[in-house]
Amino acid sequence: AIRKAKAKPQDVRAIGITNQRETVVIWNRRTGKPIHKAIVWQDRRTAEFCAALKAEGREALFNRKTGLLLDPYFSGTKIRWLLDNVKGARQKAERGELAFGTIDSFLIWRLTGGKVHATDATNASRTLLFNIHTGQWDEELLRILNIPASLLPQVKDCAADFGTADPPHGIDRSDEVSRPFSSGNTAIQIVGTPAATVTFSFTIRFATAGPDRSGPGITSVAPVATAAWARPHALAWNIGTTGRITSLSRAPKLSAV
């Protein structure tokens, strides 16, 4: 991109990061190398574990604190799977030798040479571990999922300084949940409900009165967090198989012969 722009690295004022929000990476703090391949947001390997938690009556607690449903889509159960299934991972995590992050955290770690382990509320709120009411990682949920707090990144404001890359560039943040701001919502006015349609589809709308999950399948998100506007909420309507549905709807009709 720098070559195409005929620019020099020092001309870059900031680096914006966007990512597949729930995708999980755990890496070694000393070497910076992941302990396993990233587990992407679509991965369903923890479906049985989520079902077991639901059978124990845990979903209401997770829903109340995080605004989310107990589903493999979110990061928390993927983290547990890695700790339980990668040899030595849990022991290393308990000794503070490992770090967890969604892709944004991993990129920031790499860009800053391991100096910064951080994320923002928009990503933290999709892990099943972040209390959207307190703005903190939740100790009770960490105990239920058996995840050491030492793994977790610092949660910063969306507009915070996330460090300095080499060569020096300030690292700024951008993410899909900031999309309501680019839809004519100046002065945080609720004037529209943006929607994104990809493999997975979601519609996001600010909730000025705080989280309200009165409809089936609705989750809450912490869309932005700044010093000027602390802990707002958004509602998200999710469709998990849009790409497949779209593909089928466009497929040619076949007749039996």
Side-chain angles (χ1 to χ4, degrees):
I2 291 175
R3 285 197 299 270
K4 284 185 177 181
K6 297 181 179 178
K8 299 177 182 178
Q10 53 266 36
D11 294 329
V12 178
R13 298 293 181 89
I15 301 170
I17 297 174
T18 186
N19 64 286
Q20 293 180 331
R21 190 179 310 279
E22 294 82 4
T23 297
V24 167
V25 182
I26 295 179
W27 65 94
N28 186 294
R29 290 181 181 273
R30 183 177 59 83
T31 66
K33 294 183 178 181
I35 65 169
H36 190 275
K37 294 178 181 179
I39 301 182
V40 300
W41 57 272
Q42 292 171 302
D43 192 286
R44 305 294 295 176
R45 73 184 67 189
T46 63
E48 289 187 7
F49 178 58
C50 289
L53 290 173
K54 290 179 183 179
E56 295 172 4
R58 304 278 196 179
E59 186 164 44
L61 175 67
F62 278 88
N63 185 248
R64 183 172 70 252
K65 289 191 170 190
T66 70
L68 305 177
L69 306 174
L70 268 175
D71 191 271
Y73 173 73
F74 304 110
S75 306
T77 58
K78 297 179 174 70
I79 300 170
R80 178 183 170 121
W81 187 94
L82 285 170
L83 295 179
D84 288 343
N85 289 275
V86 176
K87 185 177 180 180
R90 182 166 295 283
Q91 292 77 14
K92 290 178 181 178
E94 291 171 352
R95 293 196 298 264
E97 297 175 10
L98 303 181
F100 149 75
T102 44
I103 298 299
D104 61 308
S105 296
F106 185 56
L107 290 177
I108 290 170
W109 176 278
R110 294 291 298 270
L111 286 166
T112 61
K115 295 181 178 68
V116 179
H117 182 208
T119 188
D120 73 348
T122 71
N123 287 280
S125 71
R126 305 296 279 182
T127 61
L128 279 175
L129 305 173
F130 186 74
N131 190 313
I132 60 175
H133 307 285
T134 66
Q136 303 289 330
W137 298 114
D138 193 278
E139 293 183 3
E140 183 179 13
L141 302 182
L142 288 171
R143 284 196 301 271
I144 292 171
L145 294 182
N146 197 16
I147 295 173
S150 61
L151 271 177
L152 304 176
Q154 178 187 5
V155 181
K156 291 191 171 191
D157 287 351
C158 296
D161 181 352
F162 280 77
T164 303
D166 184 22
H169 313 307
I171 298 177
D172 194 17
R173 292 298 311 280
S174 65
D175 211 281
E176 283 191 80
V177 176
S178 66
R179 190 170 299 173
F181 282 104
S182 64
S183 303
N185 296 346
T186 54
I188 323 300
Q189 293 178 348
I190 312 303
V191 296
T193 304
T197 303
V198 284
T199 307
F200 182 97
S201 289
F202 53 89
T203 299
I204 296 174
R205 184 175 180 85
F206 280 114
T208 53
D212 175 12
R213 296 171 296 280
S214 56
I218 295 175
T219 59
S220 290
V221 190
V224 289
T226 68
W229 203 38
R231 289 203 297 276
H233 296 277
L235 302 180
W237 290 261
N238 307 302
I239 303 173
T241 56
T242 314
R244 178 62 175 160
I245 292 170
T246 303
S247 175
L248 289 173
S249 69
R250 293 177 177 173
K253 294 182 179 179
L254 301 177
S255 300
V257 178

